Amino acid sequence: MASVHESMFFNPMMANGVVHANIFGIKDWVTPHKISILVLLHEMATCKGQGTPEVETRRLHMNKLNLPLLQGPDMTLFQLLKTIGECCPKLASAVSTRVKLMAEGELKDMENFFFSLQHVFSGTEPAVHKTSVIGLFLRHMILAYNKLSFSQVYKLYTALQQYYQSYEKMSSRTTEIDDTDMELTSLDLEGKMEKEELEFPLRDDEVSDRGPLSQKQAEYFLAQQASLLKNNENKALSPAALQKELNNLLKFNPDFSEAHYLSYLNSLRVQDYFSAMHSLLHYFDRLILTGSDSKSSGEDGFGRSLRYAALNLAALNCRFGHQ
């Protein structure tokens, strides 16, 4: 079996073309988070084999996190660097430095970075194979960036600057909390102050409202949360947080049937019969209207969906003790 590094960077997965993520009628786009992911991949590709054995081992471990990062929803730079730093601190430092140079530099620095991404495909033995998982993602982001107008590029650069500034604010707050903890420890205070009381709560304007997720991001999020609800509910998002994410997802695509079904499962967690019934009916309505079930089940798909709908409704009423 090929290693994770080989399968993601080198092994061809498709014969040709770029995977176009086009869900909800909206094409995938470049965001500050994805620029940070591109920096991470660029650093991993260009610095391969140049470090000590220990660094290379950490880098290989980092490859296991690449797929969740590519498919998962956007996160803050602070969260991203923390995730990278837990596996490879030097790589996190390199990503932070590169993003800082772009954010505090000029727009042409971002332009030059996207131009430099082309070099990872050059040579007889390229650092990244064009048809690998990483290669497809890089090519797709390069294509999406090249299609932007000048005003859109400027807005993206402004968003990148705000993205990095939010990271600096969060870092300074974390440093202040750590310094305060050290002072309290050195003074050996009798009444210990809880760490939660020292933390600075995020303001509403600092909480990023994500736009619609791409197809892979949405599918990964739904599959991950459904698996956690089934196997380890404590690790899943809280009912309120999960419902907020689902509402945001359905706001951009009300016909996304899988999101309605996860909303149904989430309602069962809090014993909300009305919401569970509402989500379950919407799930089967969308499933039938979009023809998803008929495509996978043949001509009998429509009738099969109705039978499953009746069965699930009966199970729901039985769960709540309705006779």
Side-chain angles (χ1 to χ4, degrees):
M1 179 180 293
S3 66
V4 176
H5 180 80
E6 290 174 344
S7 61
M8 298 195 70
F9 282 82
F10 297 102
N11 284 1
M13 289 188 60
M14 296 183 63
N16 50 29
V18 176
V19 177
H20 295 281
N22 189 353
I23 190 171
F24 321 150
I26 301 174
K27 293 183 178 180
D28 201 4
W29 56 89
V30 185
T31 64
H33 167 74
K34 289 180 180 176
I35 291 178
S36 301
I37 296 296
L38 291 173
V39 172
L40 169 64
L41 299 176
H42 184 266
E43 290 292 332
M44 294 179 67
T46 55
C47 298
K48 185 180 75 71
Q50 299 180 8
T52 63
E54 181 182 358
V55 173
E56 289 302 312
T57 300
R58 289 178 176 270
R59 198 184 305 277
L60 290 175
H61 290 166
M62 186 63 211
N63 284 315
K64 297 180 181 179
L65 296 176
N66 279 337
L67 193 57
L69 290 176
L70 295 182
Q71 294 183 331
D74 288 7
M75 61 178 68
T76 64
L77 183 58
F78 185 85
Q79 294 172 324
L80 176 62
L81 294 179
K82 182 179 179 181
T83 302
I84 301 172
E86 291 174 352
C87 184
C88 188
K90 290 186 177 180
L91 191 58
S93 177
V95 172
S96 176
T97 301
R98 188 64 182 268
V99 174
K100 179 181 180 179
L101 290 175
M102 282 193 287
E104 296 183 350
E106 300 178 355
L107 192 148
K108 67 177 182 180
D109 295 321
M110 186 176 71
E111 289 273 357
N112 292 335
F113 168 70
F114 274 91
F115 179 78
S116 68
L117 291 178
Q118 300 281 359
H119 299 323
V120 299
F121 302 119
S122 61
T124 56
E125 295 184 1
V128 180
H129 199 288
K130 287 186 176 181
T131 53
S132 65
V133 175
I134 302 300
L136 290 172
F137 178 79
L138 290 174
R139 292 166 61 199
H140 187 47
M141 287 296 101
I142 293 172
L143 179 62
Y145 180 80
N146 290 336
K147 287 185 176 181
L148 296 177
S149 63
F150 177 78
S151 61
Q152 290 173 325
V153 171
Y154 180 76
K155 288 181 180 179
L156 175 62
Y157 183 67
T158 303
L160 178 64
Q161 291 178 317
Q162 296 173 349
Y163 184 69
Y164 185 77
Q165 290 169 3
S166 298
Y167 162 71
E168 287 190 319
K169 291 180 182 178
M170 182 64 68
S171 297
S172 62
R173 290 176 178 180
T174 304
T175 303
E176 291 176 6
I177 293 172
D178 292 340
D179 292 342
T180 305
D181 287 343
M182 292 178 64
E183 292 176 4
L184 291 176
T185 303
S186 62
L187 292 174
D188 194 21
L189 297 177
E190 295 180 359
K192 293 183 179 180
M193 187 179 296
E194 296 293 336
K195 186 176 182 180
E196 287 78 5
E197 297 177 5
L198 300 176
E199 292 181 348
F200 296 85
L202 286 175
R203 299 190 302 272
D204 290 341
D205 58 351
E206 292 180 356
V207 180
S208 60
D209 185 14
R210 291 198 300 265
L213 302 179
S214 68
Q215 180 178 3
K216 290 183 179 180
Q217 287 179 323
E219 290 176 350
Y220 178 80
F221 172 75
L222 295 177
Q224 181 189 53
Q225 292 300 314
S227 177
L228 290 175
L229 289 181
K230 178 181 178 181
N231 302 313
N232 194 344
E233 186 175 332
N234 293 330
K235 291 187 177 181
L237 292 177
S238 65
L242 179 56
Q243 194 60 48
K244 182 179 179 180
E245 293 291 338
L246 292 173
N247 291 341
N248 182 61
L249 188 61
L250 291 170
K251 177 174 67 176
F252 296 98
N253 180 28
D255 295 331
F256 197 18
S257 57
E258 289 82 357
H260 285 289
Y261 193 78
L262 186 58
S263 178
Y264 158 70
L265 296 178
N266 192 45
S267 299
L268 292 181
R269 299 169 68 189
V270 294
Q271 301 297 310
D272 187 346
Y273 173 77
F274 176 79
S275 297
M277 175 68 76
H278 177 80
S279 297
L280 187 62
L281 292 176
H282 273 287
Y283 167 69
F284 283 104
D285 285 345
R286 268 60 182 183
L287 192 67
I288 294 172
L289 290 174
T290 56
S292 300
D293 195 48
S294 60
K295 292 178 182 178
S296 59
S297 305
E299 297 180 356
D300 191 43
F302 181 80
R304 189 176 184 181
S305 293
L306 293 178
R307 291 196 295 271
Y308 274 112
L311 182 61
N312 278 270
L313 288 173
L316 175 62
N317 284 280
C318 180
R319 181 186 181 95
F320 283 89
H322 300 162
Q323 302 294 330

